[in-house]
């Protein structure tokens, strides 16, 4: 019986080749899109799921005075004291990072980010070793990832070899490689290249952080707690540490603590200030991708159903003959559905081939995204494909199969039955297709316009002619600045401790008895003019006098608004930060520091001293930016042969957001094109 069914199906597919090809290709795109959408959704909500103890591991967050959002940073001393004083805390782990220079034997130094933690780190988190082991109790050891091992040692076995940390400093130290880890998974909030003992984290003077130093913050503090009820109790008990911390840090005063399990942690990373760990994609990325994929598959299904209905009138006589020959209603329905299911099965096979190329291309469009479809080793994905097979078969073939199979042979041969063509049902299906196409076309047009908008967006300061350089010491800053004086094409220079888009710190500022959390920067006298921030009211810092140091402050419109002032009202107002009192001498127009995905943030600026500068900022003349950057790199190599070059272009601050939006626009363009083509074939 089944063999006979398949003979009929193959004959019909050969006879209606155009119908079969159109639907197989259309469905393959739709199914590939849905698999992409489902896997992107699963990826987005799978962060940190590979840690076996994720329900027992808690990250300690802080609430700070003047801040509306919880912060991911935490006093590192809390980990030490919590483990000692609370029996419910089984393990405590600090996690911090530091940018430093690292050098392998007989190689150039690398500017990298190293991570520092406690020996229990690998007891809590499941990162896989491929060679050696982690002996973090030994302070003289370091663990690498595969990528780091390749970076520092090439194809050599790194186990037993040494890395020189702080290679350009007087307090440089050698660490022995004891283990190599697999590169952290993309769906991990914890990423690293080098991991070593926490006591290898040295301050600029080369001194080890004291365990009871409540002024020091770690990027994260993790506790192992078995009972959720104990976590709630610890939140209240930890309040006793706030006076110790507030006494030492006037800029960030901790007012309370919050514990969140690793099982729920990834969902909160996008809503944390000073997170310090990697964030999972926004919910909009997960849901938006899934909705787009569903629309594309729906369009393919509607096209399949529409063309199947259009073909049904040709099958009426065949059905009449089969009924005269004794075929039952159930057998005819089964044959119709099997024919549809064969088309869907072929489309599924083609969709697997499409995703073999599409998913890697999608991953290459975005940083730290890796969506995969391992069909044979993923039972959930196989179930999804099974559901797609049944659903699409019923959606596309159900109506014609169940409806036309009801007609009796006598009515068919008399010609009184007409089906297919431009009937009302076909028009409704085609109407839905056109609606879906319209949605995807409008969305694609919107994202394309958004890309163009970002390219011409006014960030509130002029970025395109700015290059910057990180320096380690005041001596390095002075030497580099002197060398830059001989380079043609420079319009202005300024020293600064922090810089827009690359580094600022959070601070609580107080006025009118109210505390507000803002971003704070110590800048040089010529900094505002060099980056060309614009005044809305008042004046700039006085470049001819040191009187403004520690006395004058510039704020942006956002911070003024938070205190309830307009630009003119803000002038002369007193703002307290830490133990210092500032007078607002000018209000800057609002500006965007990084990408356009984040809202405008409040900022405050004060004048810093020359010996605190950590960066040199240069504005070049038009058309000279690349040339100046390259000449500065050559000068750096001459001045600091043992230090890796730390220069950058200011335009890098928005590069990721522009790439993301451009990639989204490309995706919508191609899917809109596919949707329009399917609608066109449906009309045909």
């Amino acid at each position: 019986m089944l063999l006979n069914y398949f003979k009929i199906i193959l004959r019909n597919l050969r006879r209606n080749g155009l119908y079969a090809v159109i639907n197989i290709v259309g469905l393959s795109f739709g199914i590939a899109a849905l698999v992409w959408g489902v896997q992107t959704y699963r990826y987005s909500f799978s962060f940190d799921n590979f840690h076996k103890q994720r329900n027992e591991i808690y990250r300690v967050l802080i609430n700070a005075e003047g801040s509306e959002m919880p912060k991911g940073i935490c006093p590192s001393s809390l980990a030490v004291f919590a483990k000692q004083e609370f029996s419910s805390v089984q393990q405590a782990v600090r996690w911090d990072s530091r940018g430093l220079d690292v050098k392998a034997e007989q190689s150039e130094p690398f500017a990298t980010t190293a991570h520092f933690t406690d020996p229990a780190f690998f007891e809590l988190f499941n990162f896989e070793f491929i060679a050696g082991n982690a002996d973090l109790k030994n302070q003289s050891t370091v663990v690498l990832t595969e990528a780091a091992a390749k970076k520092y040692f090439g194809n050599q076995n790194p186990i037993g070899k040494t890395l020189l940390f702080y290679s350009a400093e007087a307090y440089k130290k050698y660490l022995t490689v004891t283990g190599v880890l697999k590169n952290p998974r993309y769906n991990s909030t914890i990423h690293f290249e080098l991991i070593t003992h926490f006591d290898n984290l040295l301050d600029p003077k080369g001194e080890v952080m004291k365990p009871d130093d409540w002024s020091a913050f770690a990027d994260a503090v993790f506790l192992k707690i078995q009972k959720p009820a104990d976590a709630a109790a610890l939140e209240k008990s930890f309040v006793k540490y706030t006076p110790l911390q507030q006494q030492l840090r006037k800029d960030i005063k901790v007012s309370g603590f919050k514990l969140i399990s690793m099982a729920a942690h990834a969902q909160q990373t996008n809503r944390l200030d000073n997170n310090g760990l990697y964030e999972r994609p926004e919910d909009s990325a997960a849901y938006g991708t899934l909705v787009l994929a569903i629309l594309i598959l729906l369009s393919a299904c509607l096209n399949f159903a529409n063309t199947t209905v259009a073909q049904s009138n040709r099958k009426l006589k065949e059905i009449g003959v089969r009924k005269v020959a004794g075929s039952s209603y159930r057998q005819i329905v089964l044959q119709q559905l099997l024919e549809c299911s064969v088309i869907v099965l072929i489309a599924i096979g083609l969709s697997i081939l499409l995703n073999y190329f599409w998913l890697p291309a999608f991953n290459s469009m975005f940083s730290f995204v890796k969506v995969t479809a391992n069909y044979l080793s993923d039972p959930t994905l196989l179930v999804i494909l099974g559901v797609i097979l049944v659903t699409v078969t019923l959606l596309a073939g159900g109506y014609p199969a169940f409806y036309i199979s009801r007609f009796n042979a006598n009515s068919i041969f008399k010609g009184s039955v007409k089906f297919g063509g431009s009937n009302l049902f076909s028009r409704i299906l085609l109407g839905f297709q056109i609606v879906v196409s319209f949605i995807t076309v409008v969305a694609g047009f919107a994202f394309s316009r958004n890309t163009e908008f970002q390219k011409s967006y006014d960030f509130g300061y002029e970025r395109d002619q700015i290059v910057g350089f990180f320096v380690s010491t005041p001596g390095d800053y002075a030497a580099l600045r002197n060398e830059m004086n001989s380079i043609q094409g420079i319009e202005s220079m300024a020293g600064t401790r922090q810089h827009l888009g690359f580094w600022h710190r959070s601070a609580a500022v107080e006025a009118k008895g109210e505390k507000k959390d803002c971003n704070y920067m110590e800048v040089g006298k010529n900094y505002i003019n060099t980056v060309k921030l614009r005044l809305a009211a008042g004046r700039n810092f006085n470049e001819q006098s040191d009187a403004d140091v520690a006395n004058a402050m510039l704020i942006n419109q956002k911070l003024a608004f938070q205190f309830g002032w307009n630009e003119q009202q803000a002038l002369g107002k007193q703002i307290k930060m830490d133990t210092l009192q500032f007078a607002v001498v000018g209000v800057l127009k609002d500006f965007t520091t990084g990408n356009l995905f984040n809202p405008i943030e409040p900022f405050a600026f004060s004048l810093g001293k020359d010996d605190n500068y950590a960066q040199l900022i240069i504005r070049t003349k038009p058309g000279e930016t690349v040339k100046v950057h390259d000449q500065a790199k050559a000068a750096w190599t001459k001045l600091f042969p043992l230090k890796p070059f730390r220069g950058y272009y200011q335009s890098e601050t928005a590069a990721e957001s522009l790439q993301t939006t451009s990639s989204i626009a490309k995706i919508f363009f191609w899917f809109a094109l596919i949707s329009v083509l399917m609608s066109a074939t449906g009309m045909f």
Side-chain angles (χ1 to χ4, degrees):
M1 178 67 74
L2 285 176
L3 182 60
N4 186 49
Y5 282 151
F6 283 110
K7 287 181 179 179
I8 296 173
I9 290 170
L10 291 175
R11 184 193 66 198
N12 287 337
L13 292 180
R14 280 199 305 268
R15 187 169 59 187
N16 302 300
L18 182 61
Y19 157 80
V21 170
I22 286 174
N23 286 300
I24 288 172
V25 173
L27 285 172
S28 65
F29 278 108
I31 295 168
L34 187 63
V35 170
W36 162 67
V38 169
Q39 293 301 95
T40 301
Y41 177 89
R42 293 175 67 194
Y43 167 80
S44 298
F45 290 95
S46 68
F47 271 62
D48 295 331
N49 284 353
F50 59 94
H51 298 303
K52 297 177 182 178
Q53 302 180 84
R54 60 184 178 276
N55 291 311
E56 300 173 12
I57 302 171
Y58 287 78
R59 183 181 182 183
V60 184
L61 310 178
I62 65 168
N63 295 315
E65 292 183 3
S67 178
E68 298 178 357
M69 298 174 62
K71 297 179 181 291
I73 56 175
C74 181
S76 59
S77 296
L78 183 136
V80 179
F81 281 74
K83 180 69 166 60
Q84 293 174 352
E85 298 181 3
F86 296 94
S87 59
S88 56
V89 178
Q90 297 177 322
Q91 289 288 2
V93 168
R94 296 166 293 180
W95 178 256
D96 207 356
S97 60
R98 179 65 51 84
L100 46 80
D101 299 337
V102 175
K103 185 179 182 300
E105 301 169 356
Q106 299 178 345
S107 73
E108 296 297 319
F110 288 90
T112 191
T113 299
H115 284 84
F116 305 84
T117 190
D118 292 301
F121 178 81
F122 290 108
E123 296 177 24
L124 269 61
F125 299 103
N126 299 108
F127 294 101
E128 187 176 349
F129 278 87
I130 58 176
N133 58 72
D135 182 19
L136 292 183
K137 293 180 181 179
N138 184 346
Q139 190 177 333
S140 63
T141 63
V142 62
V143 176
L144 315 181
T145 62
E146 289 177 277
K150 183 75 173 177
K151 173 180 175 180
Y152 291 104
F153 300 105
N155 295 323
Q156 300 179 48
N157 181 6
I159 304 299
K161 297 187 181 302
T162 59
L163 285 176
L164 182 62
F165 272 46
Y166 310 100
S167 61
E169 308 298 338
Y171 47 84
K172 61 177 69 73
K173 60 190 315 180
Y174 286 96
L175 301 179
T176 302
V177 178
T178 61
V180 178
L181 293 157
K182 280 191 174 181
N183 294 327
R185 303 186 188 195
Y186 280 80
N187 59 342
S188 172
T189 57
I190 301 175
H191 280 261
F192 51 84
E193 276 193 353
L194 312 170
I195 299 181
T196 186
H197 193 282
F198 196 83
D199 286 346
N200 289 325
L201 176 61
L202 307 179
D203 65 18
K205 296 180 180 179
E207 297 178 357
V208 178
M209 186 184 303
K210 297 179 180 179
D212 60 349
D213 182 4
W214 284 93
S215 67
F217 284 91
D219 287 343
V221 167
F222 299 102
L223 306 177
K224 182 181 178 182
I225 307 166
Q226 283 192 329
K227 299 179 182 179
D230 290 340
L234 286 170
E235 287 182 358
K236 299 177 181 178
S237 300
F238 287 167
V239 175
K240 72 176 186 177
Y241 297 132
T242 56
L244 296 172
Q245 189 276 332
Q246 292 181 1
Q247 184 178 0
L248 296 174
R249 289 295 294 264
K250 305 299 182 183
D251 56 333
I252 304 178
K253 291 186 176 182
V254 176
S255 59
F257 298 89
K258 180 180 180 182
L259 274 65
I260 182 170
S261 73
M262 286 297 290
H265 165 255
Q267 319 308 323
Q268 304 290 327
T269 52
N270 304 106
R271 295 183 286 276
L272 293 181
D273 192 15
N274 300 111
N275 178 26
L277 302 183
Y278 281 79
E279 299 177 359
R280 72 172 183 85
E282 295 280 355
D283 287 351
S284 57
Y287 290 110
T289 301
L290 186 59
V291 169
L292 175 62
I294 291 173
L295 288 175
I296 296 299
L297 180 58
L298 179 61
S299 181
C301 289
L302 293 172
N303 193 56
F304 189 17
N306 201 20
T307 52
T308 301
V309 169
Q311 293 287 330
S312 296
N313 201 45
R314 301 181 184 181
K315 297 181 180 180
L316 287 174
K317 289 186 178 180
E318 176 187 319
I319 292 172
V321 171
R322 293 188 62 195
K323 285 200 170 188
V324 170
S327 294
S328 66
Y329 170 75
R330 184 181 65 82
Q331 290 173 325
I332 294 174
V333 168
L334 181 60
Q335 187 269 325
Q336 297 285 324
L337 293 178
L338 280 175
E339 183 172 324
C340 288
S341 66
V342 168
I343 291 176
V344 177
L345 274 173
I346 297 173
I348 288 175
L350 183 56
S351 75
I352 294 173
L353 181 62
L354 288 173
N355 271 337
Y356 179 80
F357 297 98
W358 164 237
L359 292 183
F362 171 72
N363 293 335
S364 68
M365 294 180 181
F366 304 94
S367 301
F368 287 98
V369 171
K370 189 173 184 180
V371 177
T372 59
N374 301 312
Y375 292 91
L376 297 180
S377 59
D378 190 343
T380 302
L381 186 55
L382 292 177
V383 170
I384 291 171
L385 290 178
V387 171
I388 290 174
L389 173 62
V390 174
T391 304
V392 175
T393 298
L394 292 176
L395 181 62
Y399 177 76
F402 289 105
Y403 184 69
I404 66 176
S405 300
R406 296 174 64 89
F407 297 130
N408 60 55
N410 189 41
S411 299
I412 293 173
F413 290 123
K414 283 183 178 180
S416 58
V417 176
K418 295 293 182 183
F419 193 72
S422 58
N423 58 51
L424 179 62
F425 184 70
S426 298
R427 292 175 180 177
I428 292 173
L429 293 180
L430 185 57
F432 275 119
Q433 267 191 276
I434 294 173
V435 168
V436 172
S437 299
F438 183 77
I439 291 172
T440 54
V441 168
V442 169
F445 180 76
F447 275 104
S448 177
R449 294 278 294 176
N450 190 33
T451 301
E452 295 303 316
F453 168 76
Q454 287 197 36
K455 290 179 180 178
S456 59
Y457 177 76
D458 182 2
F459 280 75
Y461 69 103
E462 298 182 18
R463 305 173 308 128
D464 294 338
Q465 295 165 228
I466 296 177
V467 292
F469 309 90
F470 286 96
V471 292
S472 303
T473 67
D476 289 353
Y477 168 79
L480 183 61
R481 178 157 187 152
N482 289 337
E483 193 70 25
M484 294 298 103
N485 286 327
S486 62
I487 294 179
Q488 301 296 317
I490 294 177
E491 186 176 292
S492 65
M493 291 189 289
T496 185
R497 183 168 178 79
Q498 293 92 11
H499 178 50
L500 296 175
F502 286 90
W503 183 28
H504 60 256
R505 71 180 180 92
S506 297
V509 293
E510 183 178 352
K512 306 189 309 179
E514 300 177 18
K515 285 190 176 182
K516 302 293 181 181
D517 200 29
C518 76
N519 299 313
Y520 172 67
M521 293 174 53
E522 287 183 70
V523 300
K525 292 179 181 178
N526 195 39
Y527 180 82
I528 301 298
N529 290 331
T530 298
V531 298
K532 293 195 175 181
L533 288 168
R534 302 158 194 166
L535 278 169
R539 65 173 176 85
N540 195 354
F541 294 120
N542 188 344
E543 298 183 13
Q544 306 303 321
S545 171
D546 291 333
D548 278 356
V549 176
N551 292 313
M553 176 174 280
L554 296 177
I555 64 174
N556 68 342
Q557 292 170 313
K558 179 72 173 181
L559 184 56
F561 174 79
Q562 288 192 343
F563 280 117
W565 306 322
N566 62 33
E567 292 91 340
Q568 292 297 328
Q569 290 171 339
L571 297 178
K573 291 293 192 295
Q574 297 294 309
I575 290 182
K576 184 179 180 181
M577 188 182 70
D578 302 342
T579 58
L580 301 175
Q581 194 84 18
F582 297 92
V584 177
V585 298
V587 178
L588 298 167
K589 291 185 177 181
D590 284 334
F591 49 86
T592 300
T593 56
N595 60 57
L596 302 185
F597 299 143
N598 299 322
I600 298 291
E601 297 180 316
F603 265 85
F605 299 82
S606 72
L607 273 179
K609 297 180 180 179
D610 293 4
D611 56 2
N612 280 335
Y613 292 162
Q615 297 186 60
L616 174 64
I617 307 302
I618 293 176
R619 171 167 293 280
T620 71
K621 295 177 181 178
E624 299 289 328
T625 305
V626 175
K627 180 181 177 182
V628 169
H629 177 274
D630 293 343
Q631 289 180 327
K633 186 174 183 180
W636 179 288
T637 303
K638 182 180 73 173
L639 289 171
F640 316 119
L642 297 180
K643 294 184 179 182
F645 180 62
R646 294 173 178 262
Y648 56 85
Y649 293 102
Q650 186 69 23
S651 56
E652 296 172 18
T653 55
E656 183 177 350
S657 62
L658 182 59
Q659 178 189 352
T660 299
T661 306
S662 300
S663 298
I664 294 173
K666 290 178 184 177
I667 291 170
F668 269 94
F669 170 78
W670 286 108
F671 280 101
L673 181 62
I674 292 169
S675 182
V676 169
L677 289 176
M678 284 191 288
S679 295
T681 56
M683 294 179 70
F684 171 74

